Amino acid sequence: MTAELVRGQNHPLPHTRLEIRVTAGAPVMACATLGDAQGAVRGTEWIAHPGSPTLPGIEVSRQAASGLRFHIDLEAVPEQAHLVHVLLALPEGVGGPDRFGATAAPFAAVTSTDGTEVASFTLTGLDAESAVVALELYRRQGAWKVRAVGQGYAGGLAELFGDHGLPQARAFAGGIQEAVARHLASTVQIPLPGAQDGVRVRPDSLSSSATPGPAAQPGPAGAATQSSSTVPQAGPAASGGTAAASGTTAASGGTSGTGATGGAGGAVNYTHPGRRTSAPPTPPPAAPPAEPGRQPRPVAGDATGWSMDERLYNQVWGMFEDLARAVAAYRSAIDFAESRLDQELDRVLSDPRNRIGGAGEAAREAARAKHDQLAAQAREVLDRDLAQLVAESEVVEPALPAAYARWDNPVWHAYRVPMEIPMALRLGDVHLPERPDLRIPMLVRLPLERGLWVDSGRSGSEAALMMDEAQLRGLALDTAVAHAGRLLAVYPPGEFTVHVIDPAGSAARSLAPLTASGALAGPPAAGAAGVAAVLAKLTERVDLVQMAVRGGAAESLPPGLDTAEQLLIVNDFPHGFDDRAVTQLRYLADEGPSVGVHLLMVADREDASAYGPVLDPLWRSLLRITPVPDDHLADPWVGHAWTYEPPTVPPGSRVLFQVLEQVAIARRSWRR
């Protein structure tokens, strides 16, 4: 149970390896100090800050952001250090707020590496302060505790460091502020929702501003949404529902990426409850030396993480954010150029003497020439940034593990059933119209936090309108089977079960990979009786697990209950569903994900129009994806409309059959 601390309260720490997650109403920068038994900081070598983000056992975010991560291993902290202070400060000289009283109160949560929250603290009561000691981790009789401090300093970092006994505190603090301000000035900040942030080190640097003009509006790069859909905590890795993003990998939810001066991005949440590892974070591989006058060559896995999979996940996130930022800067520059052209033409036309004759025409030509020059400069910068991202994509894509890889990736031909759950799953790709061939993987975090809805209706994209109804429905079901097959393939044996409801029995062809391989838990349920039986079974499972969890009696579950994650594929909804079945389906959509029961709907919303607004909560609770390319993933923070590309098995390929056959064999062996 999480301890909600108030100022001055302490709480024991059950783990020595921790994460401290901070969210704030404006970009803040992270620092951490070590203190001796008297609380004094012995020198600058005992301070972690964005310019020098690591100390023994401590790592802080490398840039200012509205979502930050502190990674702490207390066993690695030097013995002579008895205190670890977690510090937050507002950047100076970047146009943001100059005091915490002008923003929402920062929130800090101490979690274990599996994501379990240990303690939290909301830093209320701050006003004129621009730097604050948020938390104190201290050693007491061989054990560590956390104390909520909330001590603010109106004099900023300089006053804070001085209070901790640091010589030349003002000069040192000024150097940190200058470096952070220089980095912020060269980037378009794109904070992500929910503080899903991680640290990413890039070998290249992307210029985020193309020409003089207004900067793009800050916002989460990976949080593209459609209704309630989001582009994964865009790898776009997504969290829950992300399209590169938690929206989604691209899809479904920190800030990150590099600016014109290079550097690392802000933090992305890359912990996962299913990850079982005690290895320390491995350093990213060094980029090959660049040829003189050229950008460094990209390498796969250049982000921090506890494993190569985690580093690749964070790198995909960074690519998504860089693409969002580069395109946002380009569009902002084009808007500025067009606005300037309009203003200059209005100024020319407002003078009657310029409406006719050579002077007016010359002024108009000069205005258009300036517009073309600004647009060309913006496109040149964008093309340079996109070329670097394309080069990085060409290196990263072949290195992706099976859970992140396309079906045509050779990694599937060497597939082996995994023994651990991956941290994310690829749901497809996302791209922007400025470079359609640059596709970012849309990763969604596992376990799924939302169900999926493959829209088989023709009311969406132009591609859907060009297909007949039967063809589109078949393609939608093929897409759902590919998603289900990937989920089965990335879970260890016995930890994922798939059920199918096919009331009319019309999905036999598309379901062949699942049925022929023996990967399904049972034959597809047909007819109203089959629908009722499957829904009743899964509803009962949700009820039992919820009661056991709430009562703290997980060991009391019935012996025969399948505790694996459950996926229910529903085809041809609402055919075969009565009112009771519809109510049960809504219940599974709302309550199922929290106890491991997930929906994968294949449906046309128009078919269920007779239910009216009753089903609106159902559709909103699901992440909508499509069987054909569709730009329905809207990004409200940066203003992009991301085009989603569904994953497809190469025509004539038997890779899905072969993978599912291995899954079925492994499951039979596991049950013996």
Side-chain angles (χ1 to χ4, degrees), residues 41-200:
V41 179
R42 296 188 177 181
T44 58
E45 68 275 10
W46 273 26
I47 301 178
H49 55 85
S52 178
T54 57
L55 291 175
I58 299 175
E59 182 177 5
V60 304
S61 295
R62 297 171 181 258
Q63 71 174 33
S66 58
L68 300 172
R69 292 290 170 108
F70 296 74
H71 303 279
I72 296 177
D73 185 354
L74 294 172
E75 291 182 352
V77 171
E79 290 185 3
Q80 57 270 40
H82 293 259
L83 301 171
V84 177
H85 282 125
V86 174
L87 316 179
L88 305 175
L90 293 170
E92 298 175 358
V94 296
D98 59 357
R99 59 188 183 91
F100 279 110
T103 70
F107 174 82
V110 181
T111 72
S112 59
T113 54
D114 64 1
T116 303
E117 193 166 292
V118 177
S120 63
F121 176 43
T122 302
L123 284 75
T124 57
L126 298 176
D127 187 10
E129 298 86 351
S130 59
V132 62
V133 180
L135 298 171
E136 179 185 80
L137 311 181
Y138 62 99
R139 201 194 311 252
R140 180 67 53 84
Q141 297 178 347
W144 286 89
K145 294 185 176 183
V146 57
R147 176 183 289 117
V149 180
Q151 174 63 53
Y153 293 84
L157 276 179
E159 183 181 354
L160 189 157
F161 288 149
D163 193 40
H164 284 71
L166 183 70
Q168 300 180 334
R170 185 165 300 279
F172 184 71
I176 296 175
Q177 289 282 9
E178 181 180 358
V180 171
R182 189 164 53 244
H183 180 78
L184 285 175
S186 65
T187 60
V188 177
Q189 292 298 307
I190 308 182
L192 290 169
Q196 300 290 330
D197 55 0
V199 177
R200 178 172 187 262

Side-chain angles (χ1 to χ4, degrees), residues 15 19 165 230 304 396 498 549 596 651:
H15 312 285
E19 286 185 347
T230 56
T304 60
V396 169
V498 176
V549 171

